[in-house]
Amino acid sequence: MKRKLLGVTILCLAAISPVLGQTAKGKGKTFVLKAARMFDGKSNSLTTPGLVVVVDDKIAAVGAKASVPSGAEVIDLGDATLLPGFIDAHTHLTSMYSDDWKQAALDKLQKTIPEQALDASANARVTLMAGFTTVRDVGSSNYLDVALRNAIRDGVVPGPRMLVTVHAIGSTGGHCDWEGGYRQGLFGKESDPLEGVINGPEQARYAVRLDHKYGADMIKVCATGGVLSLTDDVDTPQLTQEELNAIVDEAHALRRKTAAHAHGNEGAKRAIRAGIDSIEHGSFMDDEALDMMKQHGTYLVPTLIAGDSLREKIDKGLYLPPPIVAKTKAALAARSQMFRHALAKGVKIGFGTDAGVYAHGRNAEEFHLMVDLGMKPIDALRSAASSDAELLGLQDKIGALEPGKLADVVGVPGDPVENVRQTEHVVFVMKEGIVYKNARAK
């Protein structure tokens, strides 16, 4: 039955954009992109002027001394800045955002899988138009993320390049057990490793293998409680050291990177000891945990905008279940100090937002939240470029404007180092040599 639904899903996705399906990733096109300035994704400053030569789907040359091929299409963005396509290392493109918590919960139960797939394709397009050409999607269901990844890859629908998890892996009753908060027996059986819910190291390995079998590019675990789950405290550890060791060991053996949802301190430490590649959120981590991250080279992906979005709902008087309100306030009270300490200690910081907790397309607001807490603007820009590319293991393909990299290029007005909120006003988007947005077309 699931395979039939997946087939219907792909047919629905294919109906959205037949034109894109006929385009072969920029083949046969040469562009010269010009702007007043450029950020290459790695340096500590901008360069002037900005110039990027694109041949087919790759960057051929950059900088003022680059040779301009005859017959190339020139796109001059004027007083703007060229940057590598933004990367978001923590999204949920298959989750629809809603201000109405109760309606959103009902929609998850009532909407068919094909309808959810159509919603997801809309989220993907909005994300791409906001300048995000690559995302790490860290939790889905019904193989929606796999279908969306494949449809984008094949040019059926517009969207960012996706690395997907299939399911996030967690314990019974934990943050990754989506049945938490519903009455026993409602869904006919208890959630199991096929849905990412495990108990014990052997089931942990089995769940990793199942995710790998069905298309996972990476493995996501829930090492602690979460803000939006109804049956746990936000900071409690939810996987044993042995379970986390098994998950990370199995994932790395399969050449899959790992990420751990971890607000709580003890759960984060267990994940770091296991060799996790990144800690997501990290709200309650203490200096010892941050020192461990520094020692192991573990990335922090802070997802600041997720907490701010929930704060907005609370301030507006929108309904959230009382346990979620309490956990939101606790996480917000702790996360700013944690982030500042991580900066001071030189912990590697990646860019990720938890898109879906807030409205898709607002991803770039994370930049100013990082800067507001003390991060230098150029470092914030780098976090969504070369830093995230390294985290995803794609540094040989994306994350920098340099010859040989895929032609993922965005343009923002003015100087984003002087005002990092310019990243929220993307005027140009190119992915793999295809122009998806040019708000300054002449």
Side-chain angles (χ1 to χ4, degrees):
M1 183 62 178
K2 282 187 175 180
R3 289 183 179 178
K4 289 182 179 178
L5 287 171
L6 184 57
V8 173
T9 296
I10 293 173
L11 286 173
C12 289
L13 288 167
I16 297 172
S17 184
V19 173
L20 283 172
Q22 300 166 9
T23 305
K25 295 185 179 180
K27 293 295 183 183
K29 292 284 290 184
T30 299
F31 292 97
V32 175
L33 311 179
K34 293 183 176 182
R37 58 196 72 81
M38 180 179 76
F39 174 56
D40 67 7
K42 293 181 175 180
S43 301
N44 290 319
S45 61
L46 305 183
T47 58
T48 57
L51 191 147
V52 179
V53 179
V54 174
V55 178
D56 297 334
D57 59 349
K58 289 188 171 64
I59 296 171
V62 298
K65 296 181 180 179
S67 176
V68 177
S70 61
E73 180 178 342
V74 178
I75 298 177
D76 191 340
L77 300 178
D79 184 21
T81 302
L82 298 172
L83 308 96
F86 299 144
I87 306 170
D88 190 332
H90 192 119
T91 67
H92 299 279
L93 294 187
T94 62
S95 295
M96 284 300 290
Y97 172 80
S98 175
D99 280 339
D100 188 330
W101 187 89
K102 292 182 178 180
Q103 184 60 52
L106 187 59
D107 285 345
K108 289 179 182 178
L109 299 175
Q110 289 188 328
K111 282 190 174 184
T112 64
I113 295 173
E115 187 176 359
Q116 292 177 50
L118 290 167
D119 288 343
S121 70
N123 296 337
R125 184 184 186 282
V126 167
T127 303
L128 179 63
M129 293 304 109
F132 289 82
T133 55
T134 304
V135 302
R136 194 175 62 164
D137 208 67
V138 290
S140 185
S141 60
N142 297 306
Y143 307 101
L144 288 165
D145 56 346
V146 175
L148 183 60
R149 176 199 64 191
N150 295 349
I152 292 170
R153 178 198 64 201
D154 296 339
V156 178
V157 298
R161 182 181 302 102
M162 293 178 68
L163 276 67
V164 304
T165 60
V166 180
H167 302 101
I169 298 172
S171 62
T172 296
H175 183 64
C176 285
D177 185 349
W178 72 277
E179 295 180 8
Y182 293 98
R183 66 171 174 82
Q184 188 274 328
L186 179 63
F187 302 106
K189 67 176 185 64
E190 283 295 328
S191 45
D192 58 28
L194 185 60
E195 298 162 298
V197 179
I198 62 99
N199 295 282
E202 291 308 309
Q203 284 195 348
R205 287 188 185 274
Y206 182 40
V208 172
R209 291 169 181 173
L210 286 169
D211 278 355
H212 176 255
K213 176 181 179 179
Y214 292 113
D217 301 299
M218 59 163 293
I219 300 298
K220 158 83 175 296
V221 303
C222 288
T224 77
V227 171
L228 293 176
S229 41
L230 293 171
T231 58
D232 55 10
D233 291 331
V234 67
D235 59 345
T236 53
Q238 293 185 344
L239 292 170
T240 67
Q241 188 67 61
E242 292 73 24
E243 288 168 337
L244 281 162
N245 290 347
I247 290 168
V248 176
D249 179 68
E250 193 67 28
H252 285 172
L254 294 169
R255 296 175 181 164
R256 296 296 184 268
K257 289 207 171 193
T258 56
H261 162 103
H263 284 282
N265 192 50
E266 177 56 32
K269 289 178 181 178
R270 292 179 188 178
I272 297 163
R273 290 188 199 104
I276 207 80
D277 294 294
S278 66
I279 295 292
E280 316 295 300
H281 317 304
S283 304
F284 300 96
M285 288 193 301
D286 63 14
D287 283 349
E288 181 183 3
L290 294 172
D291 288 338
M292 290 172 63
M293 293 181 72
K294 173 70 172 177
Q295 178 184 354
H296 286 79
T298 313
Y299 269 87
L300 170 65
V301 181
T303 67
L304 302 173
I305 188 176
D308 274 47
S309 175
L310 292 170
R311 189 199 333 249
E312 288 174 6
K313 288 188 174 184
I314 294 169
D315 290 346
K316 291 177 182 177
L318 299 173
Y319 174 77
L320 288 171
I324 291 178
V325 173
K327 291 193 287 184
T328 297
K329 291 180 178 179
L332 284 169
R335 67 105 197 257
S336 296
Q337 177 176 294
M338 179 280 300
F339 184 82
R340 291 190 181 102
H341 283 202
L343 274 179
K345 291 176 179 293
V347 173
K348 292 181 178 181
I349 296 177
F351 185 102
T353 67
D354 220 351
V357 175
Y358 64 91
H360 295 279
R362 291 179 59 186
N363 312 57
E365 292 179 35
E366 184 80 10
F367 285 115
H368 90 82
L369 294 172
M370 297 167 90
V371 171
D372 290 349
L373 290 178
M375 198 173 201
K376 294 178 181 178
I378 199 75
D379 293 337
L381 295 174
R382 190 184 300 107
S383 73
S386 56
S387 295
D388 264 3
E390 180 186 63
L391 172 59
L392 273 57
L394 296 176
Q395 63 269 31
D396 60 331
K397 296 181 179 179
I398 61 172
L401 299 181
E402 57 187 23
K405 293 289 199 302
L406 290 173
D408 293 357
V409 188
V410 299
V412 303
D415 184 340
V417 173
E418 292 296 323
N419 178 8
V420 79
R421 300 204 72 159
Q422 297 288 55
T423 56
E424 299 167 32
H425 307 288
V426 169
V427 295
F428 179 82
V429 179
M430 170 182 280
K431 178 189 162 200
E432 295 188 33
I434 298 175
V435 177
Y436 287 89
K437 180 179 185 179
N438 185 4
R440 292 195 171 186
K442 295 181 179 180

